[in-house]
PDB file of all heavy atoms in Angstrom:
ATOM      1  N   VAL A 378     -89.710  28.512  -4.829  1.00  0.00           N
ATOM      2  CA  VAL A 378     -89.305  29.049  -6.135  1.00  0.00           C
ATOM      3  C   VAL A 378     -87.942  28.484  -6.544  1.00  0.00           C
ATOM      4  O   VAL A 378     -87.745  28.051  -7.686  1.00  0.00           O
ATOM      5  CB  VAL A 378     -89.270  30.588  -6.096  1.00  0.00           C
ATOM      6  CG1 VAL A 378     -88.581  31.140  -7.338  1.00  0.00           C
ATOM      7  CG2 VAL A 378     -90.687  31.149  -5.983  1.00  0.00           C
ATOM      8  N   ASN A 381     -88.616  24.389  -7.095  1.00  0.00           N
ATOM      9  CA  ASN A 381     -89.608  23.947  -8.079  1.00  0.00           C
ATOM     10  C   ASN A 381     -89.545  24.689  -9.410  1.00  0.00           C
ATOM     11  O   ASN A 381     -89.983  24.164 -10.428  1.00  0.00           O
ATOM     12  CB  ASN A 381     -91.016  24.073  -7.492  1.00  0.00           C
ATOM     13  CG  ASN A 381     -91.234  23.181  -6.283  1.00  0.00           C
ATOM     14  OD1 ASN A 381     -90.385  22.359  -5.952  1.00  0.00           O
ATOM     15  ND2 ASN A 381     -92.356  23.338  -5.618  1.00  0.00           N
ATOM     16  N   ILE A 382     -89.011  25.917  -9.389  1.00  0.00           N
ATOM     17  CA  ILE A 382     -88.919  26.681 -10.641  1.00  0.00           C
ATOM     18  C   ILE A 382     -87.466  26.720 -11.135  1.00  0.00           C
ATOM     19  O   ILE A 382     -87.159  26.212 -12.222  1.00  0.00           O
ATOM     20  CB  ILE A 382     -89.475  28.105 -10.462  1.00  0.00           C
ATOM     21  CG1 ILE A 382     -90.973  28.053 -10.113  1.00  0.00           C
ATOM     22  CG2 ILE A 382     -89.257  28.921 -11.742  1.00  0.00           C
ATOM     23  CD1 ILE A 382     -91.603  29.407  -9.855  1.00  0.00           C
ATOM     24  N   THR A 385     -86.146  23.247 -11.746  1.00  0.00           N
ATOM     25  CA  THR A 385     -86.668  22.653 -12.980  1.00  0.00           C
ATOM     26  C   THR A 385     -85.957  23.228 -14.191  1.00  0.00           C
ATOM     27  O   THR A 385     -85.617  22.502 -15.144  1.00  0.00           O
ATOM     28  CB  THR A 385     -88.188  22.879 -13.078  1.00  0.00           C
ATOM     29  OG1 THR A 385     -88.831  22.174 -12.009  1.00  0.00           O
ATOM     30  CG2 THR A 385     -88.735  22.386 -14.412  1.00  0.00           C
ATOM     31  N   TYR A 402     -91.420  15.201 -16.598  1.00  0.00           N
ATOM     32  CA  TYR A 402     -91.548  16.012 -15.372  1.00  0.00           C
ATOM     33  C   TYR A 402     -92.828  15.605 -14.647  1.00  0.00           C
ATOM     34  O   TYR A 402     -93.905  15.565 -15.254  1.00  0.00           O
ATOM     35  CB  TYR A 402     -91.597  17.477 -15.782  1.00  0.00           C
ATOM     36  CG  TYR A 402     -92.035  18.483 -14.744  1.00  0.00           C
ATOM     37  CD1 TYR A 402     -91.173  18.880 -13.724  1.00  0.00           C
ATOM     38  CD2 TYR A 402     -93.292  19.089 -14.815  1.00  0.00           C
ATOM     39  CE1 TYR A 402     -91.555  19.847 -12.803  1.00  0.00           C
ATOM     40  CE2 TYR A 402     -93.680  20.053 -13.895  1.00  0.00           C
ATOM     41  CZ  TYR A 402     -92.811  20.428 -12.893  1.00  0.00           C
ATOM     42  OH  TYR A 402     -93.189  21.391 -11.986  1.00  0.00           O
ATOM     43  N   ALA A 408    -101.409  22.172  -9.889  1.00  0.00           N
ATOM     44  CA  ALA A 408    -100.918  23.100 -10.910  1.00  0.00           C
ATOM     45  C   ALA A 408    -102.026  23.588 -11.829  1.00  0.00           C
ATOM     46  O   ALA A 408    -101.846  24.554 -12.572  1.00  0.00           O
ATOM     47  CB  ALA A 408     -99.827  22.425 -11.750  1.00  0.00           C
ATOM     48  N   PRO A 411    -104.067  27.003 -10.005  1.00  0.00           N
ATOM     49  CA  PRO A 411    -103.402  26.938  -8.699  1.00  0.00           C
ATOM     50  C   PRO A 411    -103.921  27.974  -7.707  1.00  0.00           C
ATOM     51  O   PRO A 411    -104.187  29.121  -8.050  1.00  0.00           O
ATOM     52  CB  PRO A 411    -101.931  27.197  -9.041  1.00  0.00           C
ATOM     53  CG  PRO A 411    -101.960  27.950 -10.328  1.00  0.00           C
ATOM     54  CD  PRO A 411    -103.134  27.408 -11.079  1.00  0.00           C
ATOM     55  N   TYR A 415     -97.316  26.235  -3.763  1.00  0.00           N
ATOM     56  CA  TYR A 415     -96.862  24.982  -4.346  1.00  0.00           C
ATOM     57  C   TYR A 415     -97.450  24.789  -5.740  1.00  0.00           C
ATOM     58  O   TYR A 415     -96.729  24.502  -6.706  1.00  0.00           O
ATOM     59  CB  TYR A 415     -97.274  23.814  -3.439  1.00  0.00           C
ATOM     60  CG  TYR A 415     -97.080  22.450  -4.070  1.00  0.00           C
ATOM     61  CD1 TYR A 415     -95.840  22.047  -4.536  1.00  0.00           C
ATOM     62  CD2 TYR A 415     -98.142  21.556  -4.176  1.00  0.00           C
ATOM     63  CE1 TYR A 415     -95.657  20.794  -5.102  1.00  0.00           C
ATOM     64  CE2 TYR A 415     -97.973  20.302  -4.748  1.00  0.00           C
ATOM     65  CZ  TYR A 415     -96.723  19.930  -5.202  1.00  0.00           C
ATOM     66  OH  TYR A 415     -96.555  18.692  -5.776  1.00  0.00           O
ATOM     67  N   GLY A 416     -98.765  24.962  -5.865  1.00  0.00           N
ATOM     68  CA  GLY A 416     -99.412  24.803  -7.164  1.00  0.00           C
ATOM     69  C   GLY A 416     -98.886  25.785  -8.199  1.00  0.00           C
ATOM     70  O   GLY A 416     -98.693  25.439  -9.370  1.00  0.00           O
ATOM     71  N   MET A 417     -98.649  27.022  -7.766  1.00  0.00           N
ATOM     72  CA  MET A 417     -98.133  28.039  -8.698  1.00  0.00           C
ATOM     73  C   MET A 417     -96.748  27.667  -9.217  1.00  0.00           C
ATOM     74  O   MET A 417     -96.466  27.798 -10.412  1.00  0.00           O
ATOM     75  CB  MET A 417     -98.086  29.400  -8.006  1.00  0.00           C
ATOM     76  CG  MET A 417     -99.452  29.983  -7.678  1.00  0.00           C
ATOM     77  SD  MET A 417     -99.323  31.514  -6.727  1.00  0.00           S
ATOM     78  CE  MET A 417    -101.037  31.796  -6.280  1.00  0.00           C
ATOM     79  N   THR A 418     -95.876  27.191  -8.328  1.00  0.00           N
ATOM     80  CA  THR A 418     -94.526  26.840  -8.773  1.00  0.00           C
ATOM     81  C   THR A 418     -94.540  25.639  -9.711  1.00  0.00           C
ATOM     82  O   THR A 418     -93.774  25.573 -10.670  1.00  0.00           O
ATOM     83  CB  THR A 418     -93.602  26.555  -7.581  1.00  0.00           C
ATOM     84  OG1 THR A 418     -94.137  25.484  -6.783  1.00  0.00           O
ATOM     85  CG2 THR A 418     -93.446  27.793  -6.715  1.00  0.00           C
ATOM     86  N   LYS A 419     -95.430  24.689  -9.450  1.00  0.00           N
ATOM     87  CA  LYS A 419     -95.514  23.521 -10.331  1.00  0.00           C
ATOM     88  C   LYS A 419     -96.148  23.891 -11.671  1.00  0.00           C
ATOM     89  O   LYS A 419     -95.787  23.323 -12.711  1.00  0.00           O
ATOM     90  CB  LYS A 419     -96.303  22.405  -9.650  1.00  0.00           C
ATOM     91  CG  LYS A 419     -95.637  21.834  -8.413  1.00  0.00           C
ATOM     92  CD  LYS A 419     -94.297  21.172  -8.715  1.00  0.00           C
ATOM     93  CE  LYS A 419     -94.442  19.808  -9.327  1.00  0.00           C
ATOM     94  NZ  LYS A 419     -93.161  19.109  -9.511  1.00  0.00           N
ATOM     95  N   ALA A 420     -97.083  24.832 -11.660  1.00  0.00           N
ATOM     96  CA  ALA A 420     -97.669  25.300 -12.923  1.00  0.00           C
ATOM     97  C   ALA A 420     -96.610  25.985 -13.783  1.00  0.00           C
ATOM     98  O   ALA A 420     -96.556  25.779 -15.003  1.00  0.00           O
ATOM     99  CB  ALA A 420     -98.828  26.255 -12.641  1.00  0.00           C
ATOM    100  N   ILE A 421     -95.765  26.801 -13.152  1.00  0.00           N
ATOM    101  CA  ILE A 421     -94.675  27.439 -13.894  1.00  0.00           C
ATOM    102  C   ILE A 421     -93.695  26.381 -14.391  1.00  0.00           C
ATOM    103  O   ILE A 421     -93.182  26.470 -15.513  1.00  0.00           O
ATOM    104  CB  ILE A 421     -93.966  28.492 -13.022  1.00  0.00           C
ATOM    105  CG1 ILE A 421     -94.926  29.650 -12.726  1.00  0.00           C
ATOM    106  CG2 ILE A 421     -92.706  29.003 -13.711  1.00  0.00           C
ATOM    107  CD1 ILE A 421     -94.392  30.666 -11.737  1.00  0.00           C
ATOM    108  N   GLY A 422     -93.452  25.352 -13.570  1.00  0.00           N
ATOM    109  CA  GLY A 422     -92.597  24.255 -14.003  1.00  0.00           C
ATOM    110  C   GLY A 422     -93.129  23.593 -15.266  1.00  0.00           C
ATOM    111  O   GLY A 422     -92.368  23.281 -16.187  1.00  0.00           O
ATOM    112  N   GLU A 423     -94.445  23.377 -15.332  1.00  0.00           N
ATOM    113  CA  GLU A 423     -95.059  22.821 -16.536  1.00  0.00           C
ATOM    114  C   GLU A 423     -94.796  23.716 -17.742  1.00  0.00           C
ATOM    115  O   GLU A 423     -94.447  23.242 -18.831  1.00  0.00           O
ATOM    116  CB  GLU A 423     -96.564  22.663 -16.344  1.00  0.00           C
ATOM    117  CG  GLU A 423     -96.984  21.527 -15.432  1.00  0.00           C
ATOM    118  CD  GLU A 423     -98.490  21.337 -15.401  1.00  0.00           C
ATOM    119  OE1 GLU A 423     -99.225  22.153 -16.009  1.00  0.00           O
ATOM    120  OE2 GLU A 423     -98.956  20.368 -14.775  1.00  0.00           O
ATOM    121  N   LYS A 424     -94.976  25.009 -17.552  1.00  0.00           N
ATOM    122  CA  LYS A 424     -94.766  25.953 -18.660  1.00  0.00           C
ATOM    123  C   LYS A 424     -93.316  25.912 -19.147  1.00  0.00           C
ATOM    124  O   LYS A 424     -93.049  25.953 -20.362  1.00  0.00           O
ATOM    125  CB  LYS A 424     -95.128  27.377 -18.215  1.00  0.00           C
ATOM    126  CG  LYS A 424     -96.589  27.581 -17.843  1.00  0.00           C
ATOM    127  CD  LYS A 424     -97.492  27.462 -19.065  1.00  0.00           C
ATOM    128  CE  LYS A 424     -98.931  27.828 -18.705  1.00  0.00           C
ATOM    129  NZ  LYS A 424     -99.844  27.657 -19.872  1.00  0.00           N
ATOM    130  N   LEU A 425     -92.377  25.859 -18.217  1.00  0.00           N
ATOM    131  CA  LEU A 425     -90.965  25.800 -18.591  1.00  0.00           C
ATOM    132  C   LEU A 425     -90.662  24.529 -19.386  1.00  0.00           C
ATOM    133  O   LEU A 425     -89.910  24.553 -20.369  1.00  0.00           O
ATOM    134  CB  LEU A 425     -90.083  25.858 -17.338  1.00  0.00           C
ATOM    135  CG  LEU A 425     -90.071  27.183 -16.561  1.00  0.00           C
ATOM    136  CD1 LEU A 425     -89.283  27.021 -15.263  1.00  0.00           C
ATOM    137  CD2 LEU A 425     -89.497  28.312 -17.407  1.00  0.00           C
ATOM    138  N   ILE A 426     -91.247  23.409 -18.963  1.00  0.00           N
ATOM    139  CA  ILE A 426     -91.033  22.136 -19.648  1.00  0.00           C
ATOM    140  C   ILE A 426     -91.578  22.192 -21.070  1.00  0.00           C
ATOM    141  O   ILE A 426     -90.909  21.787 -22.035  1.00  0.00           O
ATOM    142  CB  ILE A 426     -91.692  20.988 -18.857  1.00  0.00           C
ATOM    143  CG1 ILE A 426     -90.922  20.714 -17.559  1.00  0.00           C
ATOM    144  CG2 ILE A 426     -91.811  19.728 -19.701  1.00  0.00           C
ATOM    145  CD1 ILE A 426     -89.562  20.060 -17.755  1.00  0.00           C
ATOM    146  N   LEU A 427     -92.792  22.699 -21.235  1.00  0.00           N
ATOM    147  CA  LEU A 427     -93.400  22.768 -22.565  1.00  0.00           C
ATOM    148  C   LEU A 427     -92.647  23.744 -23.468  1.00  0.00           C
ATOM    149  O   LEU A 427     -92.495  23.499 -24.671  1.00  0.00           O
ATOM    150  CB  LEU A 427     -94.870  23.169 -22.460  1.00  0.00           C
ATOM    151  CG  LEU A 427     -95.780  22.207 -21.677  1.00  0.00           C
ATOM    152  CD1 LEU A 427     -97.223  22.676 -21.734  1.00  0.00           C
ATOM    153  CD2 LEU A 427     -95.663  20.784 -22.193  1.00  0.00           C
TER     154      LEU A 427
END
Side-chain angles (χ1 to χ4, degrees):
V378 168
N381 297 352
I382 297 177
T385 295
Y402 167 76
Y415 169 57
M417 292 175 189
T418 58
K419 295 297 282 185
I421 294 173
E423 287 186 355
K424 296 292 187 183
L425 292 173
I426 289 289
L427 298 184

